[in-house]
Every structure is written in structure tokens, then in C-alpha cells.
Amino acid sequence: MRIGELAAAVGVTTRTVRHYHHQGLLPEPERLANGYRTYTLRHVVVLARIRRLTELGLGLGEVRDVLADDAGKDLAEVLEELDADLARQEAAIRERRTRLRALLEAEGGVSPEGPVSPELAELFAGVGNVSDSPTALRDREMLVLLESTVAPEERERLLAAMRGALGSPEAAARARRTYALFDELADAGADDPRVAEAARVLAASMPAELLPEEGFDLASGHALLRALYADFAPAQAEAIRRAVEITSRGRRS
């Protein structure tokens, strides 16, 4: 089998095959007397394994570790694991298509915030129209991003926490009050006297279960949280910091 045939069989380019050779992921094949390289079924299996692992989100260093573990296995074992990778990928695609179909068939059409799950769309609807609030729109964008990127079990925990924070008329009214207070702080400094009230109201609706047990620092934590925190005006950022402090303190007491 020539390199072009190998690449076509797995669905990659010959340039990709050469790159994996260069990275030491794909063994170099033997050369025939005429100088051509000839690939075997083992090369097809390894290349397919590399492709599936990278599609699952692994970096090349992680792929190298997996392939090192595969080295001592029979071909049948490697094929079984490759089949399991494909099965997980198929399950993830089915779940995404199910969610997409539910969005397309939902009464009232797709949410203005974009394609979100029915659960999140229901929470947004309960809060009401907040299209005139920059803070509310940013908050919703962040929730949509989190829901789209976290693992399934984390997604369920996020939704459960948000139902507690937004899932009642009283909680929805508190959220609207929080958005209004934060909108007023858009051009204020961190020492603005309104910061204390905004922090208190936010803390009252902040899902404590979403905060780590201890040592939580918005300014130096997860990269996504750092980017979100840095995007707020000084007064808003200070109100968030105080709200986190209030919530954490209340949980410890």
C-alpha cells in the first residue's frame, strides 16, 4: 500500500501522514527495492487510531502515550479499542443531534441567545425579556458557553444549580434586580458605594454549589473565569469578588 492509498483509506492527507512520521507517532514503513515505501494493515490501524484520538480532543503528546500502551497489544485488542472510540464518538453525535432536533422543534423557535438546550431556554424565559440589559446578555452568553463546553455530568450540575438560582418568580425577580444594579456600575470605579448593594444581591442568587470548596480566586483561577472576570468594569468586578466572598463565607459558617 502506498502513502496516498493509506491516507485515503483513513481519510487524512499525505501531508498529515508525513507529519505523524515526523512526530514519531506513525512508524516508518519498510522500503522496497525500488525505493517506494510500503504500508501494511498495522499502519492503517495505527493511523486510524491517531485520527480518532485527536478527534476526541487528545493532544499529540497524549496520543503518543496511548500508542505506547498499544504497542504490546495484539492487533485485535487495538481494533477493539478503536471500535470503542468510534462508539463513544457516535454516542456523542447522537446526543448532539437529539438536542438540536429538540431546539428546532421547540414551541416558539430558537432562543434569541442562539441554540440552547430546552432546559436553559426555559430558565431564560422565566426571567423574562432582558434584551435591554448588557449584563444579562453577557450572563446568558456565558451560560450558553458553559453548557456547550462542560462534560455531561457537569452540565447536569450546572443546570440544577441554575434552576435553584433562576427557577422561581422570586429568583427571577432577584436576577433582574442584579442585572439592573450591575448595568448601573458599568462606568463606576471599584470604590463606588453601590458596589456593596450589588454584591449583596448577587450573593443572594449565586449558586454556592458551583463554587469550589476553598481557595477560589477569580483573578487567578481557570482561564475561562479569568477572561470573564477581566471583561467586567472595575465596580462590577469588585461586586463579583465580594459576592463570591460572601457566598463562600456563608457556606463555611
Side-chain angles (χ1 to χ4, degrees):
M1 184 183 299
R2 303 282 178 80
I3 188 171
E5 295 171 318
L6 170 68
V10 180
V12 299
T13 65
T14 56
R15 183 176 180 179
T16 298
V17 175
R18 293 190 180 96
H19 178 64
Y20 290 154
H21 281 320
H22 181 70
Q23 293 294 319
L25 297 175
L26 185 64
E28 291 278 357
E30 295 182 4
R31 289 187 180 272
L32 301 177
N34 60 11
Y36 287 119
R37 292 181 294 185
T38 178
Y39 292 89
T40 65
L41 177 60
R42 170 66 71 172
H43 290 97
V44 176
V45 170
V46 173
L47 182 58
R49 183 83 156 135
I50 295 170
R51 180 187 173 187
R52 297 307 174 194
L53 291 170
T54 55
E55 287 176 346
L56 290 169
L58 272 68
L60 294 185
E62 295 170 306
V63 171
R64 186 176 289 106
D65 292 339
V66 174
L67 294 178
D69 292 338
D70 286 347
K73 297 178 181 176
D74 293 335
L75 180 60
E77 290 182 85
V78 178
L79 288 172
E80 287 287 348
E81 293 191 7
L82 179 58
D83 183 63
D85 290 340
L86 290 170
R88 284 190 291 271
Q89 199 169 38
E90 286 175 344
I93 291 172
R94 281 197 301 271
E95 181 186 354
R96 290 172 188 163
R97 291 194 66 192
T98 299
R99 291 175 59 190
L100 177 60
R101 178 54 50 192
L103 290 171
L104 292 173
E105 295 176 353
E107 185 177 349
V110 178
S111 165
E113 289 78 19
V116 300
S117 69
E119 299 95 331
L120 202 52
E122 182 179 357
L123 288 173
F124 290 167
V127 175
N129 185 4
V130 290
S131 58
D132 59 344
S133 169
T135 302
L137 295 179
R138 178 188 295 174
D139 187 50
R140 293 188 174 194
E141 287 174 355
M142 188 63 189
L143 288 173
V144 171
L145 175 61
L146 286 173
E147 189 194 40
S148 305
T149 56
V150 298
E153 60 274 13
E154 285 298 308
R155 177 179 175 273
E156 291 307 313
R157 192 167 74 94
L158 171 68
L159 287 172
M162 296 315 301
R163 288 187 195 101
L166 301 173
S168 70
E170 296 78 15
R174 196 161 50 238
R176 290 192 296 271
R177 172 64 176 154
T178 303
Y179 294 145
L181 288 170
F182 270 72
D183 287 338
E184 293 173 4
L185 294 175
D187 299 315
D191 58 351
D192 191 287
R194 295 171 294 177
V195 166
E197 173 67 5
R200 185 188 63 78
V201 175
L202 175 60
S205 57
M206 181 177 287
E209 58 269 38
L210 291 184
L211 298 181
E213 288 297 328
E214 54 183 293
F216 184 62
D217 184 356
L218 278 166
S220 61
H222 190 280
L224 188 60
L225 288 175
R226 288 202 309 271
L228 173 66
Y229 187 63
D231 195 41
F232 281 100
Q236 295 171 330
E238 176 62 15
I240 294 172
R241 188 193 67 77
R242 293 190 193 182
V244 170
E245 189 176 83
I246 293 169
T247 305
S248 300
R249 189 167 58 241
R251 188 170 56 182
R252 290 193 299 267
S253 61

